[in-house]
Amino acid sequence: MKISIKKKRNYNLIIGLCLTGFFALMALLGQFWTPYSVTSMDPLSVNVAPCLAHPFGTDNFGRDILSRVMNGSGMTFFVAICTVLMGAVIGTVVGALTGYFGGWIDEIIMRINDILLSFPSVLLALLFISFLGPGTVNVILALGILFIPSFARIVRSEMIRCKELDFVKSAKVMGVGPFRIMFVHILPNTLVSMLTAAAIGFNNAVLAEASMSYLGLGVQPPLPSLGRMLSEAQSYLFNTPWYAIAPGVTIILIILGFSMISEGLRAVER
């Protein structure tokens, strides 16, 4: 009797990649071309409802919302990528060193990590920005610092798990140096876990950037930002709801995409 085993399709990963890929392409296109200028005001086209000329309508200054969503999404992705890269690179180095060598340095750094993880990330980001000042670069620095502990913990736990395994002991016997063991032999074993953490990090970074911009601490006018567009749309929510719907739905779908990618990667890891 033949037994056929069909591998279950990872729909979370497929749908998440499609959603994220679509908005990433839209954001990339928005940096080079938009249907209308993202900053030019048109007094004759103020608060125009969605139509063929303006599929997402216009805002209170007559600016095309579709063009601003396309361009503003690019800034959101840029902040998310820079934040996750900063957290992943520094967190990987910190986690590798503390997990492999251990000792009192490991204890001190892990306790600092525990302190950072015990506070809400957005609250700590607001605290950092209150000292650094508003702006895109400062938002990236603040969020990047907050993302270091999560990556450091993942790499540290893998270093502790793997450093006593046979393949690591064999490498030590052959005279391989500790840094090569850490970053060539052990680190590849953390790839799926790191990708899952990166997807969750992107998700949190998008939400945090939108929150910072909503509060006026992120991207500064006249450049568009999804969070700032939501903030500006508050006063016009009942008269021109499309002003808030377009950036709001975009944020939700981007976050949904990254969430589904992280769930899909967890399924792969299992």
Side-chain angles (χ1 to χ4, degrees):
M1 184 174 67
K2 293 182 179 179
I3 299 175
S4 61
I5 301 175
K6 291 184 178 178
K7 194 173 182 180
K8 190 176 179 181
R9 287 192 177 182
N10 195 333
Y11 287 107
N12 279 332
L13 187 59
I14 294 170
I15 296 172
L17 287 172
C18 289
L19 268 176
T20 305
F22 171 76
F23 283 103
L25 286 173
M26 184 182 72
L28 183 62
L29 177 63
Q31 307 311 301
F32 303 99
W33 175 86
T34 52
Y36 299 88
S37 170
V38 297
T39 55
S40 297
M41 303 178 187
D42 184 1
L44 300 178
S45 301
V46 172
N47 294 334
V48 173
C51 58
L52 289 177
H54 302 281
F56 287 179
T58 64
D59 62 14
N60 56 308
F61 292 110
R63 299 171 297 191
D64 181 63
I65 294 177
L66 173 60
S67 300
R68 290 177 63 78
V69 166
M70 290 173 64
N71 191 268
S73 298
M75 184 56 67
T76 297
F77 272 94
F78 174 74
V79 171
I81 290 170
C82 291
T83 298
V84 172
L85 278 177
M86 179 179 171
V89 171
I90 299 176
T92 297
V93 174
V94 171
L97 294 174
T98 56
Y100 189 83
F101 293 109
W104 61 271
I105 295 179
D106 176 35
E107 287 296 324
I108 292 174
I109 292 178
M110 285 303 105
R111 297 299 76 78
I112 294 172
N113 276 2
D114 291 339
I115 292 171
L116 289 174
L117 289 171
S118 65
F119 290 95
S121 57
V122 174
L123 187 62
L124 275 179
L126 286 172
L127 181 64
F128 282 130
I129 292 172
S130 66
F131 289 105
L132 299 173
T136 305
V137 175
N138 291 340
V139 167
I140 291 172
L141 288 174
L143 295 178
I145 291 170
L146 297 178
F147 279 32
I148 292 172
S150 57
F151 288 101
R153 279 195 168 278
I154 292 170
V155 177
R156 175 180 177 271
S157 62
E158 197 64 29
M159 289 289 164
I160 293 173
R161 185 182 71 85
C162 292
K163 68 181 181 179
E164 298 301 329
L165 295 180
D166 290 339
F167 76 93
V168 175
K169 291 180 179 179
S170 299
K172 289 179 180 178
V173 171
M174 294 173 65
V176 179
F179 291 99
R180 183 173 177 82
I181 291 174
M182 283 188 288
F183 296 107
V184 176
H185 295 271
I186 299 179
L187 193 60
N189 293 290
T190 68
L191 182 60
V192 176
S193 298
M194 289 289 284
L195 287 175
T196 304
I200 296 171
F202 271 109
N203 194 344
N204 294 334
V206 168
L207 189 58
E209 189 280 330
S211 302
M212 296 296 103
S213 296
Y214 181 87
L215 296 172
L217 301 174
V219 179
Q220 299 298 304
L223 296 176
S225 168
L226 298 178
R228 178 166 284 278
M229 289 176 70
L230 278 176
S231 178
E232 293 171 349
Q234 284 186 111
S235 304
Y236 306 90
L237 193 58
F238 296 103
N239 296 326
T240 57
W242 55 85
Y243 193 177
I245 289 173
V249 170
T250 301
I251 292 172
I252 290 171
L253 291 178
I254 290 174
I255 291 173
L256 178 63
F258 283 123
S259 297
M260 296 185 79
I261 288 174
S262 64
E263 287 298 322
L265 288 172
R266 282 199 188 100
V268 172
E269 192 175 13
R270 289 194 293 268

